[in-house]
Amino acid sequence: MRPAINVGISVSRVGGNAQVKSMKKVAGTLKIDQAQWTELEAFSKFSSDVDKVTELALDKGRKNNQLLIQPQYSPMPVGEQVAILYCGTHALMRDIAIGQVRPFQEAFLDRLRAAHKADVLEPLGQGKLTPEIESVLTETAASVILTLK
């Protein structure tokens, strides 16, 4: 009896090919970044003083980790996933505290749903990530952060 799948194709390769282009572009280095963050965080526990660059890397990793936590039974559309991961991978949340990540995410996505569903979220869900969309994501993130301060 033969297996039902092609054993020559790894699951990670199939998963990567199934992603839309916008997700690949935004989250392409996320796995490596998070692995490096885990190592850096473990190493930094032994050091009393951390330089500014290391602190920024630790902060970005912690916030990205928070973004990856998804409430049970609450699926998120692909366009929204890409939009919020864009904020994490481009360090757009560097000016907020770790405790503000969840409120930021909710406010950011609410604002995109209200004002940019057709011109940002839908194209992101279809795999399109243009400089115009990146500009809207950056501007929306900045305006949401101002409301959280």
Side-chain angles (χ1 to χ4, degrees):
M1 200 165 201
R2 292 184 165 192
I5 59 169
N6 180 350
V7 293
I9 300 176
S10 72
V11 172
S12 61
R13 222 177 263 182
V14 171
N17 288 336
Q19 287 180 341
V20 296
K21 287 183 182 181
S22 58
M23 180 66 82
K24 283 183 189 180
K25 193 171 182 182
V26 168
T29 62
L30 186 61
K31 187 175 180 181
I32 292 169
D33 290 346
Q34 289 306 99
Q36 289 173 342
W37 163 71
T38 303
E39 289 181 25
L40 189 59
E41 185 154 66
F43 181 74
S44 70
K45 289 180 182 179
F46 300 109
S47 177
S48 59
D49 59 334
V50 179
D51 68 339
K52 186 70 174 166
V53 174
T54 304
E55 185 55 45
L56 288 173
L58 288 169
D59 183 62
K60 180 180 172 185
R62 289 180 190 120
K63 289 173 182 170
N64 283 346
N65 198 45
Q66 289 297 307
L67 289 179
L68 294 171
I69 298 170
Q70 187 171 336
Q72 191 172 14
Y73 309 118
S74 299
M76 183 183 289
V78 174
E80 292 181 12
Q81 290 177 33
V82 174
I84 200 66
L85 288 176
Y86 182 88
C87 293
T89 58
H90 289 79
L92 300 181
M93 299 178 296
R94 65 184 160 271
D95 295 332
I96 61 171
I98 190 83
Q100 292 179 305
V101 171
R102 188 68 55 198
F104 167 82
Q105 179 177 341
E106 291 170 8
F108 176 77
L109 292 175
D110 284 347
R111 195 164 297 180
L112 285 180
R113 285 183 207 115
H116 299 287
K117 185 173 180 115
D119 63 331
V120 173
L121 292 177
E122 289 174 5
L124 285 175
Q126 297 165 357
K128 298 176 186 128
L129 181 62
T130 63
E132 294 80 18
I133 290 174
E134 290 185 53
S135 177
V136 170
L137 294 175
T138 303
E139 290 168 13
T140 303
S143 67
V144 170
I145 287 171
L146 287 175
T147 65
L148 294 175
K149 287 186 174 183

